[in-house]
Amino acid sequence: MKKLHIYITCISLTILTSCAEDIMPDFEFEEQVFISGLLTNDQGFVSVQIQKTVPVTDTTFSAVNDAQVSLFTRDTSDTVSLVSDSFIVDNGAYTTSEMVTPIIGNTYWIEVMLQDQTVLKSEEEILKPPIPILDIVKTDDSIRITSTGPIDEQNFYLIEIEILEDGVLISDGLVVANDRIINEQEEKFIFLDGINAGETIRININNINFTTFQFYANVVRNQREEPGVSSLFLPINIVGNITNTTTNRLALGNFGVAGLTTITMDF
């Protein structure tokens, strides 16, 4: 895949392009459940991936197909309600049987009951508004996106970039970023170059919560090569915002909530 050149100013960032030497773990493998998902403000079907971890020498995918998943919300009046507990299961992917219309300002979380009655619950996260885009400037091989955000609060971003040619993905990248260092700057800039004529670029800017930001930052740091976004949810030993309610200990995985801004542009 072609390499992306991504620059972000006025934001502290981590880019998913690091390499590290392979080190074999010297601990005894213990199978665990890994949960992942991201709910955005877009109306649509909500999906949750549930799988079991496997040893690093095992390349198989161990799906969990016998769990019960429930999606909850809490509104601004502190009223809790069930959004859906009807999910269609396909090889560990649990998708709501009906479309969901998330509400900005509400909090959302999932509860997963495993076959042995263990209950795993994600942290309640608020659905933040999408990031407003002020300006998009396209040149022959680059794009500059100007966004804005409130200067009185710290913002956290998960940015997914895909480049397609004739509808086929040829390159992708992921950035986690925050504006902690220069938050007094209301305008933020994303700059990408090296895009060729005939290619299509698609950018998802997710306005995420702090715990989900930490999870994705840990994923970036633990990648051993330059994977694409599609390999993000391999069962690596990463904890996020999932808690085992029986033991009150953090489990593996993360179910995040994000305000989504999507930009698609042909070159």
PDB file of all heavy atoms in Angstrom, residues 9-36:
ATOM      1  N   THR A   9      -1.464  20.421  12.640  1.00  0.00           N
ATOM      2  CA  THR A   9      -0.920  21.514  13.432  1.00  0.00           C
ATOM      3  C   THR A   9      -1.923  21.936  14.490  1.00  0.00           C
ATOM      4  O   THR A   9      -3.124  21.774  14.335  1.00  0.00           O
ATOM      5  CB  THR A   9      -0.575  22.716  12.548  1.00  0.00           C
ATOM      6  OG1 THR A   9      -1.762  23.179  11.891  1.00  0.00           O
ATOM      7  CG2 THR A   9       0.456  22.333  11.498  1.00  0.00           C
ATOM      8  N   CYS A  10      -1.382  22.488  15.572  1.00  0.00           N
ATOM      9  CA  CYS A  10      -2.192  22.909  16.723  1.00  0.00           C
ATOM     10  C   CYS A  10      -2.856  21.720  17.400  1.00  0.00           C
ATOM     11  O   CYS A  10      -3.831  21.882  18.114  1.00  0.00           O
ATOM     12  CB  CYS A  10      -3.257  23.941  16.323  1.00  0.00           C
ATOM     13  SG  CYS A  10      -2.555  25.497  15.726  1.00  0.00           S
ATOM     14  N   ILE A  11      -2.332  20.516  17.169  1.00  0.00           N
ATOM     15  CA  ILE A  11      -2.840  19.326  17.838  1.00  0.00           C
ATOM     16  C   ILE A  11      -1.641  18.457  18.208  1.00  0.00           C
ATOM     17  O   ILE A  11      -0.748  18.249  17.408  1.00  0.00           O
ATOM     18  CB  ILE A  11      -3.805  18.515  16.946  1.00  0.00           C
ATOM     19  CG1 ILE A  11      -5.062  19.335  16.626  1.00  0.00           C
ATOM     20  CG2 ILE A  11      -4.218  17.210  17.602  1.00  0.00           C
ATOM     21  CD1 ILE A  11      -6.040  18.613  15.731  1.00  0.00           C
ATOM     22  N   SER A  12      -1.635  17.931  19.440  1.00  0.00           N
ATOM     23  CA  SER A  12      -0.646  16.937  19.826  1.00  0.00           C
ATOM     24  C   SER A  12      -1.108  15.601  19.281  1.00  0.00           C
ATOM     25  O   SER A  12      -2.241  15.200  19.501  1.00  0.00           O
ATOM     26  CB  SER A  12      -0.538  16.876  21.353  1.00  0.00           C
ATOM     27  OG  SER A  12       0.277  15.811  21.757  1.00  0.00           O
ATOM     28  N   LEU A  13      -0.233  14.875  18.556  1.00  0.00           N
ATOM     29  CA  LEU A  13      -0.721  13.705  17.824  1.00  0.00           C
ATOM     30  C   LEU A  13       0.202  12.514  17.969  1.00  0.00           C
ATOM     31  O   LEU A  13       1.354  12.622  18.321  1.00  0.00           O
ATOM     32  CB  LEU A  13      -0.899  14.030  16.330  1.00  0.00           C
ATOM     33  CG  LEU A  13       0.349  14.460  15.556  1.00  0.00           C
ATOM     34  CD1 LEU A  13       1.054  13.258  14.952  1.00  0.00           C
ATOM     35  CD2 LEU A  13      -0.032  15.438  14.468  1.00  0.00           C
ATOM     36  N   THR A  14      -0.372  11.341  17.701  1.00  0.00           N
ATOM     37  CA  THR A  14       0.364  10.096  17.581  1.00  0.00           C
ATOM     38  C   THR A  14      -0.051   9.458  16.277  1.00  0.00           C
ATOM     39  O   THR A  14      -1.240   9.320  16.015  1.00  0.00           O
ATOM     40  CB  THR A  14       0.041   9.133  18.747  1.00  0.00           C
ATOM     41  OG1 THR A  14       0.313   9.789  19.974  1.00  0.00           O
ATOM     42  CG2 THR A  14       0.874   7.872  18.650  1.00  0.00           C
ATOM     43  N   ILE A  15       0.909   9.089  15.426  1.00  0.00           N
ATOM     44  CA  ILE A  15       0.596   8.548  14.115  1.00  0.00           C
ATOM     45  C   ILE A  15       0.921   7.058  14.084  1.00  0.00           C
ATOM     46  O   ILE A  15       1.938   6.618  14.610  1.00  0.00           O
ATOM     47  CB  ILE A  15       1.393   9.270  13.008  1.00  0.00           C
ATOM     48  CG1 ILE A  15       1.091  10.774  13.040  1.00  0.00           C
ATOM     49  CG2 ILE A  15       1.071   8.703  11.628  1.00  0.00           C
ATOM     50  CD1 ILE A  15       1.843  11.571  12.001  1.00  0.00           C
ATOM     51  N   LEU A  16       0.065   6.298  13.450  1.00  0.00           N
ATOM     52  CA  LEU A  16       0.198   4.856  13.388  1.00  0.00           C
ATOM     53  C   LEU A  16       1.192   4.469  12.298  1.00  0.00           C
ATOM     54  O   LEU A  16       0.837   3.914  11.265  1.00  0.00           O
ATOM     55  CB  LEU A  16      -1.167   4.231  13.105  1.00  0.00           C
ATOM     56  CG  LEU A  16      -1.298   2.701  13.120  1.00  0.00           C
ATOM     57  CD1 LEU A  16      -0.900   2.154  14.454  1.00  0.00           C
ATOM     58  CD2 LEU A  16      -2.688   2.289  12.734  1.00  0.00           C
ATOM     59  N   THR A  17       2.483   4.792  12.531  1.00  0.00           N
ATOM     60  CA  THR A  17       3.490   4.424  11.550  1.00  0.00           C
ATOM     61  C   THR A  17       4.754   3.920  12.237  1.00  0.00           C
ATOM     62  O   THR A  17       5.817   3.900  11.630  1.00  0.00           O
ATOM     63  CB  THR A  17       3.869   5.624  10.673  1.00  0.00           C
ATOM     64  OG1 THR A  17       4.283   6.710  11.511  1.00  0.00           O
ATOM     65  CG2 THR A  17       2.694   6.095   9.830  1.00  0.00           C
ATOM     66  N   SER A  18       4.665   3.499  13.484  1.00  0.00           N
ATOM     67  CA  SER A  18       5.846   3.092  14.212  1.00  0.00           C
ATOM     68  C   SER A  18       6.193   1.636  13.924  1.00  0.00           C
ATOM     69  O   SER A  18       5.349   0.836  13.578  1.00  0.00           O
ATOM     70  CB  SER A  18       5.628   3.279  15.718  1.00  0.00           C
ATOM     71  OG  SER A  18       4.557   2.490  16.149  1.00  0.00           O
ATOM     72  N   CYS A  19       7.494   1.297  14.065  1.00  0.00           N
ATOM     73  CA  CYS A  19       7.957  -0.072  13.910  1.00  0.00           C
ATOM     74  C   CYS A  19       8.692  -0.472  15.185  1.00  0.00           C
ATOM     75  O   CYS A  19       9.302   0.344  15.852  1.00  0.00           O
ATOM     76  CB  CYS A  19       8.905  -0.211  12.722  1.00  0.00           C
ATOM     77  SG  CYS A  19       8.139   0.154  11.129  1.00  0.00           S
ATOM     78  N   ALA A  20       8.640  -1.731  15.514  1.00  0.00           N
ATOM     79  CA  ALA A  20       9.327  -2.215  16.707  1.00  0.00           C
ATOM     80  C   ALA A  20       9.808  -3.630  16.457  1.00  0.00           C
ATOM     81  O   ALA A  20       9.264  -4.361  15.636  1.00  0.00           O
ATOM     82  CB  ALA A  20       8.404  -2.177  17.928  1.00  0.00           C
ATOM     83  N   GLU A  21      10.848  -4.028  17.184  1.00  0.00           N
ATOM     84  CA  GLU A  21      11.372  -5.382  17.063  1.00  0.00           C
ATOM     85  C   GLU A  21      10.412  -6.366  17.704  1.00  0.00           C
ATOM     86  O   GLU A  21       9.868  -6.126  18.778  1.00  0.00           O
ATOM     87  CB  GLU A  21      12.735  -5.450  17.766  1.00  0.00           C
ATOM     88  CG  GLU A  21      13.382  -6.825  17.715  1.00  0.00           C
ATOM     89  CD  GLU A  21      14.686  -6.862  18.468  1.00  0.00           C
ATOM     90  OE1 GLU A  21      15.075  -5.798  18.995  1.00  0.00           O
ATOM     91  OE2 GLU A  21      15.312  -7.926  18.549  1.00  0.00           O
ATOM     92  N   ASP A  22      10.209  -7.517  17.042  1.00  0.00           N
ATOM     93  CA  ASP A  22       9.335  -8.547  17.588  1.00  0.00           C
ATOM     94  C   ASP A  22       9.972  -9.155  18.815  1.00  0.00           C
ATOM     95  O   ASP A  22      11.131  -9.585  18.796  1.00  0.00           O
ATOM     96  CB  ASP A  22       9.077  -9.653  16.561  1.00  0.00           C
ATOM     97  CG  ASP A  22       8.145  -9.191  15.459  1.00  0.00           C
ATOM     98  OD1 ASP A  22       7.476  -8.161  15.663  1.00  0.00           O
ATOM     99  OD2 ASP A  22       8.083  -9.865  14.418  1.00  0.00           O
ATOM    100  N   ILE A  23       9.215  -9.197  19.915  1.00  0.00           N
ATOM    101  CA  ILE A  23       9.681  -9.795  21.158  1.00  0.00           C
ATOM    102  C   ILE A  23       8.658 -10.821  21.602  1.00  0.00           C
ATOM    103  O   ILE A  23       7.487 -10.493  21.795  1.00  0.00           O
ATOM    104  CB  ILE A  23       9.873  -8.736  22.267  1.00  0.00           C
ATOM    105  CG1 ILE A  23      10.887  -7.684  21.803  1.00  0.00           C
ATOM    106  CG2 ILE A  23      10.313  -9.379  23.565  1.00  0.00           C
ATOM    107  CD1 ILE A  23      11.042  -6.535  22.779  1.00  0.00           C
ATOM    108  N   MET A  24       9.076 -12.048  21.736  1.00  0.00           N
ATOM    109  CA  MET A  24       8.152 -13.096  22.148  1.00  0.00           C
ATOM    110  C   MET A  24       7.872 -12.979  23.644  1.00  0.00           C
ATOM    111  O   MET A  24       8.798 -12.862  24.453  1.00  0.00           O
ATOM    112  CB  MET A  24       8.745 -14.476  21.836  1.00  0.00           C
ATOM    113  CG  MET A  24       8.911 -14.734  20.345  1.00  0.00           C
ATOM    114  SD  MET A  24       7.342 -14.619  19.452  1.00  0.00           S
ATOM    115  CE  MET A  24       6.484 -16.029  20.157  1.00  0.00           C
ATOM    116  N   PRO A  25       6.603 -13.001  24.070  1.00  0.00           N
ATOM    117  CA  PRO A  25       6.284 -12.896  25.484  1.00  0.00           C
ATOM    118  C   PRO A  25       6.718 -14.145  26.236  1.00  0.00           C
ATOM    119  O   PRO A  25       6.684 -15.250  25.696  1.00  0.00           O
ATOM    120  CB  PRO A  25       4.754 -12.756  25.478  1.00  0.00           C
ATOM    121  CG  PRO A  25       4.319 -13.401  24.195  1.00  0.00           C
ATOM    122  CD  PRO A  25       5.417 -13.141  23.219  1.00  0.00           C
ATOM    123  N   ASP A  26       7.140 -13.969  27.484  1.00  0.00           N
ATOM    124  CA  ASP A  26       7.589 -15.103  28.283  1.00  0.00           C
ATOM    125  C   ASP A  26       6.592 -15.437  29.386  1.00  0.00           C
ATOM    126  O   ASP A  26       6.956 -15.950  30.436  1.00  0.00           O
ATOM    127  CB  ASP A  26       8.970 -14.816  28.882  1.00  0.00           C
ATOM    128  CG  ASP A  26       8.976 -13.557  29.752  1.00  0.00           C
ATOM    129  OD1 ASP A  26       7.920 -12.910  29.847  1.00  0.00           O
ATOM    130  OD2 ASP A  26      10.041 -13.258  30.334  1.00  0.00           O
ATOM    131  N   PHE A  27       5.294 -15.135  29.160  1.00  0.00           N
ATOM    132  CA  PHE A  27       4.275 -15.434  30.143  1.00  0.00           C
ATOM    133  C   PHE A  27       3.343 -16.517  29.594  1.00  0.00           C
ATOM    134  O   PHE A  27       3.271 -16.748  28.392  1.00  0.00           O
ATOM    135  CB  PHE A  27       3.468 -14.176  30.504  1.00  0.00           C
ATOM    136  CG  PHE A  27       2.881 -13.481  29.298  1.00  0.00           C
ATOM    137  CD1 PHE A  27       1.679 -13.904  28.736  1.00  0.00           C
ATOM    138  CD2 PHE A  27       3.534 -12.389  28.735  1.00  0.00           C
ATOM    139  CE1 PHE A  27       1.134 -13.267  27.640  1.00  0.00           C
ATOM    140  CE2 PHE A  27       2.997 -11.759  27.616  1.00  0.00           C
ATOM    141  CZ  PHE A  27       1.800 -12.197  27.067  1.00  0.00           C
ATOM    142  N   GLU A  28       2.629 -17.163  30.498  1.00  0.00           N
ATOM    143  CA  GLU A  28       1.701 -18.212  30.099  1.00  0.00           C
ATOM    144  C   GLU A  28       0.434 -17.589  29.537  1.00  0.00           C
ATOM    145  O   GLU A  28      -0.148 -16.677  30.133  1.00  0.00           O
ATOM    146  CB  GLU A  28       1.365 -19.090  31.309  1.00  0.00           C
ATOM    147  CG  GLU A  28       0.447 -20.258  30.970  1.00  0.00           C
ATOM    148  CD  GLU A  28       0.178 -21.134  32.184  1.00  0.00           C
ATOM    149  OE1 GLU A  28       0.819 -20.902  33.230  1.00  0.00           O
ATOM    150  OE2 GLU A  28      -0.662 -22.045  32.074  1.00  0.00           O
ATOM    151  N   PHE A  29       0.003 -18.072  28.375  1.00  0.00           N
ATOM    152  CA  PHE A  29      -1.170 -17.513  27.721  1.00  0.00           C
ATOM    153  C   PHE A  29      -2.436 -17.840  28.507  1.00  0.00           C
ATOM    154  O   PHE A  29      -2.636 -18.952  28.968  1.00  0.00           O
ATOM    155  CB  PHE A  29      -1.293 -18.061  26.301  1.00  0.00           C
ATOM    156  CG  PHE A  29      -2.599 -17.709  25.641  1.00  0.00           C
ATOM    157  CD1 PHE A  29      -2.837 -16.415  25.190  1.00  0.00           C
ATOM    158  CD2 PHE A  29      -3.608 -18.662  25.502  1.00  0.00           C
ATOM    159  CE1 PHE A  29      -4.033 -16.077  24.592  1.00  0.00           C
ATOM    160  CE2 PHE A  29      -4.811 -18.332  24.899  1.00  0.00           C
ATOM    161  CZ  PHE A  29      -5.027 -17.035  24.444  1.00  0.00           C
ATOM    162  N   GLU A  30      -3.297 -16.825  28.666  1.00  0.00           N
ATOM    163  CA  GLU A  30      -4.597 -16.997  29.309  1.00  0.00           C
ATOM    164  C   GLU A  30      -5.674 -16.433  28.388  1.00  0.00           C
ATOM    165  O   GLU A  30      -5.657 -15.250  28.059  1.00  0.00           O
ATOM    166  CB  GLU A  30      -4.636 -16.274  30.653  1.00  0.00           C
ATOM    167  CG  GLU A  30      -5.984 -16.389  31.364  1.00  0.00           C
ATOM    168  CD  GLU A  30      -6.040 -15.605  32.662  1.00  0.00           C
ATOM    169  OE1 GLU A  30      -4.985 -15.071  33.080  1.00  0.00           O
ATOM    170  OE2 GLU A  30      -7.137 -15.517  33.249  1.00  0.00           O
ATOM    171  N   GLU A  31      -6.582 -17.284  27.947  1.00  0.00           N
ATOM    172  CA  GLU A  31      -7.631 -16.852  27.026  1.00  0.00           C
ATOM    173  C   GLU A  31      -8.542 -15.827  27.694  1.00  0.00           C
ATOM    174  O   GLU A  31      -8.970 -15.994  28.826  1.00  0.00           O
ATOM    175  CB  GLU A  31      -8.456 -18.062  26.594  1.00  0.00           C
ATOM    176  CG  GLU A  31      -9.539 -17.741  25.587  1.00  0.00           C
ATOM    177  CD  GLU A  31     -10.361 -18.955  25.240  1.00  0.00           C
ATOM    178  OE1 GLU A  31     -11.270 -19.299  26.051  1.00  0.00           O
ATOM    179  OE2 GLU A  31     -10.098 -19.582  24.200  1.00  0.00           O
ATOM    180  N   GLN A  32      -8.821 -14.744  26.959  1.00  0.00           N
ATOM    181  CA  GLN A  32      -9.710 -13.702  27.455  1.00  0.00           C
ATOM    182  C   GLN A  32     -10.641 -13.251  26.342  1.00  0.00           C
ATOM    183  O   GLN A  32     -10.385 -13.497  25.156  1.00  0.00           O
ATOM    184  CB  GLN A  32      -8.896 -12.501  27.966  1.00  0.00           C
ATOM    185  CG  GLN A  32      -7.990 -12.825  29.143  1.00  0.00           C
ATOM    186  CD  GLN A  32      -7.301 -11.584  29.674  1.00  0.00           C
ATOM    187  OE1 GLN A  32      -7.945 -10.635  30.126  1.00  0.00           O
ATOM    188  NE2 GLN A  32      -5.981 -11.567  29.603  1.00  0.00           N
ATOM    189  N   VAL A  33     -11.703 -12.575  26.728  1.00  0.00           N
ATOM    190  CA  VAL A  33     -12.647 -12.029  25.753  1.00  0.00           C
ATOM    191  C   VAL A  33     -12.230 -10.604  25.408  1.00  0.00           C
ATOM    192  O   VAL A  33     -11.845  -9.824  26.286  1.00  0.00           O
ATOM    193  CB  VAL A  33     -14.081 -12.054  26.314  1.00  0.00           C
ATOM    194  CG1 VAL A  33     -15.041 -11.297  25.394  1.00  0.00           C
ATOM    195  CG2 VAL A  33     -14.553 -13.494  26.478  1.00  0.00           C
ATOM    196  N   PHE A  34     -12.305 -10.275  24.124  1.00  0.00           N
ATOM    197  CA  PHE A  34     -11.941  -8.952  23.629  1.00  0.00           C
ATOM    198  C   PHE A  34     -13.156  -8.354  22.927  1.00  0.00           C
ATOM    199  O   PHE A  34     -13.744  -8.976  22.034  1.00  0.00           O
ATOM    200  CB  PHE A  34     -10.762  -9.063  22.656  1.00  0.00           C
ATOM    201  CG  PHE A  34     -10.254  -7.743  22.144  1.00  0.00           C
ATOM    202  CD1 PHE A  34      -9.289  -7.043  22.843  1.00  0.00           C
ATOM    203  CD2 PHE A  34     -10.728  -7.207  20.959  1.00  0.00           C
ATOM    204  CE1 PHE A  34      -8.807  -5.825  22.367  1.00  0.00           C
ATOM    205  CE2 PHE A  34     -10.260  -5.997  20.474  1.00  0.00           C
ATOM    206  CZ  PHE A  34      -9.296  -5.303  21.180  1.00  0.00           C
ATOM    207  N   ILE A  35     -13.547  -7.125  23.328  1.00  0.00           N
ATOM    208  CA  ILE A  35     -14.740  -6.454  22.796  1.00  0.00           C
ATOM    209  C   ILE A  35     -14.319  -5.149  22.138  1.00  0.00           C
ATOM    210  O   ILE A  35     -13.477  -4.418  22.668  1.00  0.00           O
ATOM    211  CB  ILE A  35     -15.753  -6.169  23.918  1.00  0.00           C
ATOM    212  CG1 ILE A  35     -16.227  -7.490  24.555  1.00  0.00           C
ATOM    213  CG2 ILE A  35     -16.948  -5.373  23.399  1.00  0.00           C
ATOM    214  CD1 ILE A  35     -17.108  -7.292  25.786  1.00  0.00           C
ATOM    215  N   SER A  36     -14.886  -4.838  20.977  1.00  0.00           N
ATOM    216  CA  SER A  36     -14.575  -3.568  20.330  1.00  0.00           C
ATOM    217  C   SER A  36     -15.801  -3.035  19.601  1.00  0.00           C
ATOM    218  O   SER A  36     -16.644  -3.797  19.129  1.00  0.00           O
ATOM    219  CB  SER A  36     -13.410  -3.732  19.338  1.00  0.00           C
ATOM    220  OG  SER A  36     -13.753  -4.654  18.316  1.00  0.00           O
TER     221      SER A  36
END
